[in-house]
Amino acid sequence: DAKTTQPNSMESNEEEPVHLPCNHSTISGTDYIHWYRQLPSQGPEYVIHGLTSNVNNRMASLAIAEDRKSSTLILHRATLRDAAVYYCILPGSGNTGKLIFGQGTTLQVKP
Amino acid sequence: EAQVTQNPRYLITVTGKKLTVTCSQNMNHEYMSWYRQDPGLGLRQIYYSMNVEVTDKGDVPEGYKVSRKEKRNFPLILESPSPNQTSLYFCASSFAGFNQPQHFGDGTRLSIL
């Protein structure tokens, strides 16, 4: 299974943009890059996913490097409710639907 | 409201006493799976199901059973729980397992004494 590498923690000020990086140098050509977040005492929540080009939805944007070995999750205006652990995830091998969760990045948002 | 519902949310029990954690989704999803989350180990997949009557092992299936008799339900069964199964459990579902957003329940915290 391919692995991802993220910083353990990051801080942001409220209402400022946040860029959460992820390295995935062993990604295969057909792997989508997924991002989930986990708020305290809740289950993981889907944020966004993409294959090659940049992706936008109501929650965030995903910028994928041209070589696909890294990506960045962008929260355009962080709020206190965005404080969570953010996971950059590649699917497990074998088409099982398994998501490989690493340790993620703990995002702190300061008022 | 689209959701994945797990019950119970919390359970303290003793070694060897069979228990079932239920999982139900109301989104007509074909794919369902179970994860456990442990400090320092992240989330690990226990079992998954691509559709009704189709189940398969994930990375840590020992000590667990599942069944998928109807599309909406995917119970996790611990026939003889042991203390090393003390963990936080999450059920997830999606339209299809591969490259589809997955919806997670709020978790079940099990303590096996």
Side-chain angles (χ1 to χ4, degrees):
Chain A
D1 293 335
K3 291 183 66 174
T4 62
T5 303
Q6 302 176 251
N8 287 333
S9 62
M10 292 185 65
E11 286 185 357
S12 172
N13 294 318
E14 197 175 11
E15 298 191 2
E16 290 186 356
V18 181
H19 289 64
L20 298 164
C22 179
N23 288 318
H24 29 77
S25 58
T26 58
I27 191 171
S28 75
T30 57
D31 283 345
Y32 277 70
I33 301 150
H34 302 250
W35 283 82
Y36 284 74
R37 71 181 185 181
Q38 188 172 20
L39 280 66
S41 302
Q42 294 188 23
E45 175 188 25
Y46 168 80
V47 177
I48 199 166
H49 75 300
L51 182 63
T52 55
S53 55
N54 295 344
V55 185
N56 300 291
N57 66 20
R58 63 174 180 81
M59 289 181 70
S61 296
L62 177 59
I64 302 171
E66 195 169 334
D67 64 6
R68 297 199 346 110
K69 293 185 176 183
S70 65
S71 61
T72 302
L73 180 71
I74 303 165
L75 306 179
H76 295 287
R77 288 179 71 237
T79 70
L80 296 178
R81 289 175 298 175
D82 290 323
V85 179
Y86 286 79
Y87 296 99
C88 169
I89 295 169
L90 300 179
S93 58
N95 212 13
T96 66
K98 176 175 63 177
L99 301 174
I100 308 296
F101 284 83
Q103 296 306 308
T105 297
T106 299
L107 175 66
Q108 294 183 328
V109 180
K110 297 188 232 178
Chain B
E1 179 189 352
Q3 58 187 1
V4 177
T5 303
Q6 296 180 226
N7 279 297
R9 291 292 313 279
Y10 305 91
L11 179 63
I12 301 174
T13 187
V14 296
T15 299
K17 185 176 180 182
K18 180 180 178 179
L19 68 90
T20 299
V21 184
T22 63
C23 174
S24 180
Q25 50 91 6
N26 63 358
M27 296 166 279
N28 202 34
H29 285 168
E30 292 185 349
Y31 179 89
M32 298 185 74
S33 70
W34 278 101
Y35 290 83
R36 61 178 287 175
Q37 185 173 29
D38 301 290
L41 297 176
L43 281 93
R44 295 175 292 167
Q45 191 183 57
I46 304 170
Y47 268 95
Y48 65 96
S49 170
M50 290 289 191
N51 213 327
V52 176
E53 301 292 1
V54 180
T55 63
D56 213 339
K57 296 176 181 178
D59 291 329
V60 288
E62 296 77 21
Y64 305 95
K65 287 174 58 176
V66 292
S67 69
R68 189 88 184 275
K69 295 178 182 172
E70 353 165 53
K71 186 179 274 192
R72 66 182 292 123
N73 295 323
F74 190 46
L76 179 70
I77 304 157
L78 286 70
E79 293 269 4
S80 183
S82 63
N84 64 10
Q85 293 177 298
T86 292
S87 187
L88 180 58
Y89 292 84
F90 291 102
C91 180
S93 73
S94 68
F95 281 111
F98 191 62
N99 286 325
Q100 295 290 319
Q102 295 194 22
H103 299 254
F104 284 78
D106 284 333
T108 295
R109 186 167 290 282
L110 288 183
S111 294
I112 316 294
L113 305 178

